[in-house]
Amino acid sequence: MESPPPKLIAGQDHDDRISALPDHLLLDVRERLDLREAVRAGALSTRWRRLPNHLSRVHLDVARFQGATPLEAMDAFTGAARALLTLVPLAEGECVRGALRVLILGFYMSSPHLSSIARLVEDIVSLGQTECLEFCISPLPVSNTASLLAEIGQQFMSFSRAYPVAFSWLTGLTLQHHSLGHSDLTNLISACGGLRHLTLRICRLLEDSSLKIDAHHSGIQELKFVCFRCTRIELVSLPKLREVQCLYWPYENPPVHFGYVPELRHVRLSSFAMAWQAPFALSECLSRSARNLSKLSLDFSHQMIWIQPEHPKNLAPIFRNLASVYLFGIFLECDLSWTLFILEAAPALLNIALSQHSCVKTPEHSAEKTNVVWEPSKDLKHVNLKLLSIFGCEDEDKVTNYIRLVMERAVGLKRIELDSEYFCEDCNAIDLERSKVHKASMRRIKERLTHGSSSSVEIIII
């Protein structure tokens, strides 16, 4: 027997089905909706307007708002922020405001709107219940010259100084297209006492000098530099730092130097090498204090290999807890056996993944591709490696020989995965015919490895 329909609240419009829901379901629906959908639903619900008092999460991004101009989009963004974040007095009989624990705002550096946004944020954090506060800030999308970006950078610094309470509660900050002075960045890190995640995307130092971050009392856990222009990055002291990403650096190698970073877990470097960037040894870059490093990701963008194989003793203190290594974008003509210098230096390594692909896209002024040669020690026997993953490798002989080499040296190997559908973001190389050819190639590699072999290693095509 079907259950009877829910009773509507007395005096409520029978067509207002949303208002028939209990508060906890309304909140769950609201926090899952896109902003525009939520606004449409709010137009139908007589109870929707008091829900902001109970939201636990708000994420607003100016890119989701429409307007004839960026300023009009910011008008709409700020209006929505007021509607959702303004502390409305509670009606008689209503419970106290719930905790707004997560607040994420993405907006433009637009002077007419910044004070309104900051005051709303400071009202929220003054309740003392916010656990995550993130800003993603970029200039208005107009033609930005170098001098204008420098002006925007100074405008941002004035903004941060004018609202110290909001910035002291920040846990995440992303700046895009800002030009800042070295002291601006160091002062900003000092002022943002709760900052855990900092991203600088297509930003630059005004003095075109090195960036030195010496913040022994900082709680920063993650740093991400994307096309960040300076002469070098030196992380002198960041005791809580766990992850660093450095992507597409336009200065000399190595892109970053680590100092005191005892909690460092993951390093990701991704770029193609320019003609003036010489290969470097990882021991020049990584710090011996990073003894908890467990994940290393290197992407060479199918161009020159910008690291040099080196003797395991140089890396052993740093790699003693390394568990996962990802080596992507190795150009097709390059030998693969050089990758074993990492295996030899990392006795706890559990899995290694690599990709090799004939990408046709070569950026202007790229460094010349040269083969990398390295002979592993004759007595190398690795007992902990369990998984070898191969993505997009097209030279059957090279891949087969490399896998045999790893199987011979990694005596604890349990599984080999051959990826049959590799997608290259640089050249968009994937289609049905290519996939069929690649899958057939993977099958032939598997047959060659298993034919006449007594190995218990599982080889699968995924």
Side-chain angles (χ1 to χ4, degrees), residues 428-454:
N428 297 321
I430 190 168
D431 55 56
L432 186 59
E433 281 304 312
R434 183 186 182 93
S435 178
K436 289 179 180 178
V437 170
H438 196 51
K439 186 169 290 188
S441 177
M442 293 295 102
R443 283 197 294 265
R444 288 191 294 270
I445 290 173
K446 179 178 179 179
E447 289 170 3
R448 292 171 63 178
L449 291 170
T450 56
H451 181 71
S453 172
S454 60

Side-chain angles (χ1 to χ4, degrees), residues 264-267 286 290-297 315-327 342-354 382-389 410 413:
L264 189 65
R265 299 294 198 274
H266 179 201
V267 172
L286 299 170
R291 297 194 170 202
N292 290 305
L293 185 67
S294 60
K295 183 178 179 181
L296 178 66
S297 305
L315 292 168
I318 307 168
F319 283 1
R320 68 176 186 176
N321 290 313
L322 191 63
S324 301
V325 169
Y326 303 89
L327 304 173
I342 295 178
L343 185 69
E344 194 165 355
L349 195 65
L350 295 174
N351 62 82
I352 185 169
L354 59 85
H382 198 284
V383 298
N384 287 314
L385 189 73
K386 299 295 187 290
L387 173 64
L388 171 65
S389 302
L413 193 65

Side-chain angles (χ1 to χ4, degrees), residues 240-422:
K240 303 295 184 182
L241 188 65
R242 297 176 66 89
E243 179 175 346
V244 172
Q245 298 188 44
C246 195
L247 316 179
Y248 305 104
W249 56 92
Y251 43 90
E252 297 292 339
N253 285 327
V256 59
H257 294 260
F258 293 89
Y260 183 64
V261 285
E263 294 298 317
L264 189 65
R265 299 294 198 274
H266 179 201
V267 172
R268 180 188 173 202
L269 306 177
S270 176
S271 188
F272 58 86
M274 305 300 286
W276 60 83
Q277 293 173 321
F280 64 94
L282 286 172
S283 61
E284 298 175 25
C285 168
L286 299 170
S287 166
R288 286 178 178 257
S289 73
R291 297 194 170 202
N292 290 305
L293 185 67
S294 60
K295 183 178 179 181
L296 178 66
S297 305
L298 308 177
D299 189 335
F300 307 99
S301 297
H302 317 289
Q303 304 304 310
M304 181 190 79
I305 305 301
W306 34 254
I307 61 169
Q308 295 174 337
E310 55 185 310
H311 197 282
K313 69 178 182 181
N314 297 336
L315 292 168
I318 307 168
F319 283 1
R320 68 176 186 176
N321 290 313
L322 191 63
S324 301
V325 169
Y326 303 89
L327 304 173
F328 291 152
I330 301 173
F331 66 91
L332 190 62
E333 299 79 13
C334 187
D335 187 41
L336 297 174
S337 60
W338 64 268
T339 62
L340 269 64
F341 88 92
I342 295 178
L343 185 69
E344 194 165 355
L349 195 65
L350 295 174
N351 62 82
I352 185 169
L354 59 85
S355 72
Q356 190 174 45
H357 168 58
S358 58
C359 184
V360 297
K361 184 176 180 180
T362 300
E364 190 177 5
H365 305 303
S366 291
E368 182 183 355
K369 300 176 187 178
T370 56
N371 190 35
V372 181
V373 179
W374 171 264
E375 286 293 332
S377 301
K378 293 182 179 179
D379 58 350
L380 170 61
K381 295 295 179 184
H382 198 284
V383 298
N384 287 314
L385 189 73
K386 299 295 187 290
L387 173 64
L388 171 65
S389 302
I390 305 289
F391 297 88
C393 294
E394 300 162 23
D395 188 322
E396 292 182 25
D397 290 338
K398 188 176 293 182
V399 172
T400 303
N401 293 336
Y402 175 72
I403 293 176
R404 284 175 176 159
L405 180 61
V406 174
M407 291 174 68
E408 176 187 341
R409 302 305 179 94
V411 295
L413 193 65
K414 298 294 184 184
R415 182 182 175 99
I416 297 170
E417 294 181 354
L418 305 174
D419 191 289
S420 60
E421 292 188 5
Y422 176 71

Side-chain angles (χ1 to χ4, degrees), residues 13-284:
D13 189 330
H14 285 226
D15 291 330
D16 188 0
R17 300 291 180 180
I18 296 175
S19 290
L21 297 173
D23 278 355
H24 73 280
L25 288 181
L26 276 176
L27 283 169
D28 190 53
V29 169
R30 168 62 189 87
E31 291 183 347
R32 294 169 186 268
L33 287 178
D34 173 83
L35 182 66
R36 249 172 287 170
E37 293 171 336
V39 170
R40 292 193 188 103
L44 299 175
S45 172
T46 57
R47 291 167 57 214
W48 202 267
R49 63 179 176 271
R50 64 185 177 88
L51 284 184
N53 273 354
H54 304 282
L55 291 173
S56 64
R57 177 185 177 89
V58 171
H59 184 182
L60 294 177
D61 187 346
V62 68
R64 305 287 293 175
F65 290 82
Q66 295 181 339
T69 66
L71 285 176
E72 289 184 6
M74 277 297 293
D75 287 340
F77 171 90
T78 308
R82 287 196 192 98
L84 291 173
L85 303 179
T86 300
L87 299 178
V88 180
L90 298 176
E92 185 178 353
E94 285 189 319
C95 60
V96 297
R97 181 188 175 98
L100 181 54
R101 301 191 182 281
V102 178
L103 177 57
I104 303 173
L105 302 177
F107 53 93
Y108 300 136
M109 279 299 299
S110 168
S111 296
H113 305 92
L114 296 179
S115 59
S116 296
I117 294 169
R119 284 196 294 266
L120 288 168
V121 170
E122 292 197 337
D123 286 345
I124 293 295
V125 300
S126 66
L127 300 177
Q129 298 171 317
T130 305
E131 298 171 358
C132 173
L133 173 63
E134 297 183 8
F135 289 169
C136 179
I137 307 175
S138 56
L140 288 165
V142 296
S143 179
N144 291 310
T145 62
S147 59
L148 184 56
L149 291 180
E151 181 181 328
I152 291 168
Q154 294 312 301
Q155 182 185 354
F156 165 76
M157 291 305 300
S158 297
F159 174 49
S160 67
R161 289 189 291 265
Y163 298 94
V165 174
F167 277 82
S168 69
W169 277 80
L170 270 185
T171 58
L173 175 62
T174 296
L175 296 179
Q176 301 187 122
H177 296 282
H178 280 61
S179 294
L180 298 167
H182 183 276
S183 61
D184 291 335
L185 280 173
T186 54
N187 292 339
L188 180 66
I189 291 171
S190 298
C192 298
L195 195 64
R196 297 195 294 269
H197 311 280
L198 174 62
T199 297
L200 300 174
R201 188 185 302 274
I202 320 179
C203 295
R204 65 174 297 164
L205 286 186
L206 286 173
E207 302 90 349
D208 200 23
S209 61
S210 63
L211 172 63
K212 294 184 180 181
I213 302 179
D214 188 355
H216 191 73
H217 299 290
S218 172
I220 289 180
Q221 298 175 11
E222 179 184 358
L223 284 172
K224 186 173 182 179
F225 303 96
V226 184
C227 298
F228 180 69
R229 293 188 66 88
C230 66
T231 56
R232 68 191 297 179
I233 298 172
E234 296 185 35
L235 306 180
V236 180
S237 179
L238 284 163
K240 303 295 184 182
L241 188 65
R242 297 176 66 89
E243 179 175 346
V244 172
Q245 298 188 44
C246 195
L247 316 179
Y248 305 104
W249 56 92
Y251 43 90
E252 297 292 339
N253 285 327
V256 59
H257 294 260
F258 293 89
Y260 183 64
V261 285
E263 294 298 317
L264 189 65
R265 299 294 198 274
H266 179 201
V267 172
R268 180 188 173 202
L269 306 177
S270 176
S271 188
F272 58 86
M274 305 300 286
W276 60 83
Q277 293 173 321
F280 64 94
L282 286 172
S283 61
E284 298 175 25

